């Protein structure tokens, strides 16, 4: 970093550099739901399903993959991509994200919870959807960080498969793009100001 850059702007310049160099989180960092070719896909073991969330009261037919902008009524829809999912019971649970892992919570973090029922805000018992469309409706009363948990059985043995997808409700993302832009402007402005001072000093001498 240029030592001639005025002190008030050095921190901003470093911030811009660090944010620009920081690795971007991969699509589907939440775990069980990934964005693939503009389509949200949930994986439950070897099963897959299209995943879509709606908030009809506040967002109409707008579709969401994970994070939800508002509290209130939310519809979760799974459209099965594997025919065998139509033959097995599937349940759907939503818990508060108490793992301390944020969006990086995984199945092991859920299994480590000592009392999952205590953190549960919604549970839909196992049911078989032979038509291939599984729907859930829940009204979120409070904003916060949550985790969706979907489990499904196997059509011919006792195996149980789980999908875990952390998501936020009613929370605004930090505008990193604008922060980087502002930091770059501050750093660039400081550099130009410093160069003018150096130029003026050279001309005076």
């Amino acid at each position: 970093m240029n030592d001639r850059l005025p002190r008030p702007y050095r921190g901003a310049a470093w911030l811009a550099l660090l944010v620009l160099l920081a690795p971007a989180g991969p699509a589907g960092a939440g775990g069980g739901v990934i964005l693939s070719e503009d389509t949200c896909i949930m994986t439950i073991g070897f099963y897959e399903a299209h995943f879509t969330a709606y908030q009809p009261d506040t967002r109409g037919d707008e579709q969401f993959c994970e994070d939800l902008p508002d509290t209130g009524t939310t519809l979760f829809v799974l459209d099965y991509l594997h025919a065998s999912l139509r033959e097995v019971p599937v349940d759907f649970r939503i818990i508060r994200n108490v793992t301390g892992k944020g969006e990086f919570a995984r199945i092991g973090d859920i299994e480590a919870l000592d009392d999952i029922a205590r953190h549960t805000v919604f549970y839909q018992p196992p049911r078989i959807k032979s038509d291939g469309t599984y729907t859930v409706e829940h009204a979120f009363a409070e904003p916060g960080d949550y985790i969706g948990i979907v489990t499904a059985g196997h059509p011919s043995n006792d195996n149980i498969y789980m999908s875990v997808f952390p998501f936020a409700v009613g929370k605004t993302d930090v505008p990193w793009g604008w922060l980087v832009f502002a930091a770059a402007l501050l750093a660039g402005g400081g550099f130009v100001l410093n160069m003018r001072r150096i130029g003026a000093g050279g001309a005076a001498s």
Side-chain angles (χ1 to χ4, degrees):
M1 187 65 64
N2 191 339
D3 290 337
R4 292 182 177 180
L5 192 64
R7 287 184 181 276
Y9 299 101
R10 292 180 190 171
W14 277 114
L15 174 62
L17 180 62
L18 289 174
V19 174
L20 287 172
L21 293 179
V33 177
I34 63 172
L35 181 62
S36 175
E37 298 181 355
D38 296 327
T39 301
C40 298
I41 302 296
M42 172 179 286
T43 58
I44 316 168
F46 65 90
Y47 299 122
E48 288 187 342
H50 284 135
F51 174 86
T52 312
Y54 301 89
Q55 296 194 302
D57 294 343
T58 57
R59 303 286 171 161
D61 58 359
E62 186 175 356
Q63 300 180 9
F64 301 95
C65 191
E66 286 190 348
D67 291 345
L68 305 170
D70 306 315
T71 55
T73 300
T74 303
L75 300 177
F76 299 94
V77 181
L78 300 180
D79 290 312
Y80 298 162
L81 296 178
H82 281 70
S84 54
L85 259 179
R86 300 168 182 249
E87 307 171 16
V88 299
V90 176
D91 70 358
F92 195 108
R93 184 187 299 269
I94 301 172
I95 68 172
R96 293 192 176 277
N97 193 341
V98 295
T99 64
K101 300 294 183 62
E103 64 178 302
F104 300 103
R106 294 294 185 266
I107 292 176
D109 303 309
I110 302 304
E111 294 174 339
L113 295 177
D114 55 356
D115 185 6
I116 195 170
R118 182 161 60 94
H119 308 296
T120 297
V121 298
F122 173 84
Y123 180 65
Q124 185 159 276
R127 59 180 183 174
I128 297 175
K129 295 295 294 181
S130 57
D131 63 354
T133 299
Y134 185 103
T135 60
V136 169
E137 178 176 337
H138 174 65
F140 289 94
E142 300 177 355
D145 295 316
Y146 297 87
I147 298 177
I149 305 168
V150 178
T151 59
H154 190 279
S156 60
N157 59 45
D158 295 331
N159 289 342
I160 300 295
Y161 304 99
M162 181 185 296
S163 177
V164 172
F165 59 101
F167 62 97
V169 173
K171 298 176 70 175
T172 303
D173 292 335
V174 177
W176 287 109
W178 283 106
L179 289 179
V180 172
F181 180 67
L185 281 181
L186 286 172
F191 178 76
V192 171
L193 179 62
N194 191 53
M195 291 302 293
R196 286 180 177 175
R197 288 176 177 172
I198 293 173
S205 61

